[in-house]
Amino acid sequence: MVDGAKRRAALAKVKTAVMKAAMSGLYHTGAHRLLAPYTQGVGVIFTLHHVRPEPDEPKAFAPNRILEVTPEFLDAVLDQVQEAGLDVVSLDEAVLRLQEGDDRRFACFTFDDGYRDNLKYAYPMFKRRSMPLTLYVPTDYPDGNGELWWLALEEIVARAHEIELCRNGELWRLPAGTVPEKTRAFAEIYWWLRLIDEATQREVVRVLADRYEVDMAADCSRLVMDWDEIRTMAADPLVTVGAHTKGHFAVSKLYVSRACEEMGGSADRIERELGVRPIHFSYPYGDPGSAGRRDFALARQVGFQTAVTTRKGMLFPAHRRHLMALPRVSLNGEYQSLTYTALCLSGAPFALWNRFQQVNAA
Ligand SMILES: [Zn+2]
């Protein structure tokens, strides 16, 4: 019997394959260029996570590789975006342009989770070019008690030969001896964890991390900036700091009061540390299962002026009425080519994905 987690893992794989085929079709027929005037919109918000050089010895099992790009690739994308005639602007400027109906095309660059490599590799690049960028910080992370559970899960699966878990009161055993087995085990556990409630999700990973001696607090301190480092960046007018909840939770899975506390509490914490209250927010995970209509309304109530999702898409003038559900385009580590980003800038792949609906905020 195929269970929910298996189905989600398989679906993610199929979606990637369909997207790859569609992208390749668009590019080789040149259709993206014909579609661009209708599909490119007025702007784009790019999503990034880690920016760091490739390791000397790339790992065969690296399921989180999608979350990192190299500094060279990012540098080339910044050139490409400029050559394509887009202005790199701050989120404040993006909102202004949307509200005023300004038709000059723009791009925003946003970095989720506050990784230290953003300070080391990405920030100097933007500084040199005088280009703005936004960081979205889950405030437990610089406090040193964040749980980057997807990274912990990768380490656990890398170390294990077989994984035993308690799932819905039953023993779940997954082989993890070979790279294909590890890849499968990671995908199945990952998608199961994304489905279940947040408290159980964290508890499951804590138990496994304990068993395989993975220190999540140490990973957090090693990978994520502390408040002093965030303050260094925030002191630069080019840098906007936005909120990303406290503990990096999928807000749609939380009760209203808890969701508000996660959103508003992270804004309070940033205000206390930086002296400025953030008005921009990023929903952790950001997919429709992690942030929906209720959460868009909550983000507005909490006082944010914009909130970004990871729903794929370009920005159109109509988004000025949907500032709590802005789409983004991920610079994905698996697609580090300027061909891919040229396709993205045409907006054509997302128009196909969204069946030519410009706004997807349901
Ligand atoms: Zn995040």
Side-chain angles (χ1 to χ4, degrees):
M1 201 176 85
V2 180
D3 58 34
K6 253 193 184 139
R7 216 169 29 238
R8 288 280 287 266
L11 195 64
K13 221 169 160 180
V14 169
K15 275 186 171 173
T16 310
V18 168
M19 197 69 180
K20 265 188 177 164
M23 301 275 264
S24 157
L26 282 171
Y27 187 74
H28 287 107
T29 57
H32 68 292
R33 266 185 240 109
L34 296 173
L35 287 169
Y38 311 99
T39 57
Q40 69 190 4
V42 288
V44 57
I45 306 175
F46 285 111
T47 312
L48 292 107
H49 291 85
H50 287 285
V51 180
R52 59 188 177 195
E54 300 252 29
D56 293 338
E57 283 179 44
K59 290 183 281 182
F61 171 65
N64 288 303
R65 189 184 286 143
I66 52 168
L67 299 176
E68 62 180 276
V69 299
T70 65
E72 294 73 30
F73 176 65
L74 178 56
D75 208 28
V77 172
L78 291 176
D79 282 339
Q80 186 183 32
V81 162
Q82 267 188 308
E83 280 158 20
L86 281 78
D87 304 325
V88 176
V89 303
S90 66
L91 283 172
D92 288 339
E93 170 72 14
V95 172
L96 206 65
R97 288 193 183 192
L98 285 174
Q99 283 171 340
E100 290 181 348
D102 193 326
D103 59 6
R104 287 173 299 159
R105 294 179 65 215
F106 63 86
C108 299
F109 285 82
T110 63
F111 297 78
D112 286 15
D113 303 343
Y115 294 110
R116 181 166 287 125
D117 51 43
N118 295 174
L119 172 62
K120 184 167 180 190
Y121 297 106
Y123 172 56
M125 218 178 272
F126 283 78
K127 178 92 189 144
R128 201 169 51 242
R129 296 166 180 263
S130 295
M131 285 179 176
L133 72 151
T134 297
L135 288 180
Y136 290 113
V137 181
T139 50
D140 284 354
Y141 287 19
D143 282 338
N145 49 26
E147 294 179 310
L148 293 94
W149 64 267
W150 55 95
L151 296 177
L153 182 64
E154 176 177 337
E155 282 183 69
I156 291 158
V157 176
R159 285 177 198 186
H161 293 288
E162 184 184 65
I163 303 212
E164 278 186 0
L165 281 173
C166 178
R167 181 178 56 164
N168 310 330
E170 284 176 20
L171 183 68
W172 187 22
R173 196 176 271 150
L174 296 109
T178 63
V179 170
E181 283 173 349
K182 286 183 192 297
T183 304
R184 203 173 321 125
F186 179 90
E188 286 190 25
I189 301 170
Y190 176 88
W191 287 110
W192 173 60
L193 291 169
R194 286 283 303 272
L195 276 177
I196 62 176
D197 73 272
E198 296 294 86
T200 314
Q201 172 202 81
R202 299 300 169 93
E203 192 48 38
V204 168
V205 180
R206 269 177 226 138
V207 168
L208 282 177
D210 230 31
R211 195 183 309 156
Y212 291 95
E213 296 178 351
V214 170
D215 186 341
M216 283 200 274
D219 281 349
C220 179
S221 305
R222 180 169 53 86
L223 294 169
V224 177
M225 287 185 269
D226 59 29
W227 285 112
D228 283 338
E229 289 166 311
I230 293 171
R231 258 188 294 275
T232 305
M233 281 183 73
D236 189 326
L238 288 173
V239 178
T240 299
V241 177
H244 196 40
T245 74
K246 297 195 287 185
H248 204 279
F249 290 111
V251 285
S252 67
K253 290 204 254 160
L254 306 175
Y255 289 115
V256 170
S257 56
R258 181 78 201 287
C260 286
E261 168 54 22
E262 280 291 325
M263 292 194 232
S266 63
D268 293 343
R269 183 90 181 99
I270 291 171
E271 184 177 14
R272 269 205 306 283
E273 289 292 339
L274 307 181
V276 183
R277 189 165 185 83
I279 53 169
H280 302 287
F281 179 74
S282 161
Y283 304 97
Y285 315 103
D287 60 305
S290 305
R293 203 189 280 259
R294 182 204 73 172
D295 313 300
F296 305 152
L298 290 181
R300 185 183 300 279
Q301 274 173 33
V302 165
F304 293 117
Q305 284 185 17
T306 74
V308 292
T309 66
T310 55
R311 296 175 188 222
K312 301 177 191 2
M314 310 302 278
L315 295 177
F316 292 90
H319 279 106
R320 69 172 171 268
R321 289 189 300 276
H322 300 277
L323 295 176
M324 295 301 134
L326 295 175
R328 289 192 289 176
V329 169
S330 175
L331 285 185
N332 181 319
E334 296 284 9
Y335 302 87
Q336 294 189 62
S337 90
L338 296 180
T339 306
Y340 168 78
T341 41
L343 271 170
C344 287
L345 288 173
S346 77
F350 315 116
L352 293 182
W353 182 270
N354 295 322
R355 299 190 193 122
F356 290 89
Q357 266 192 307
Q358 294 183 342
V359 175
N360 169 17

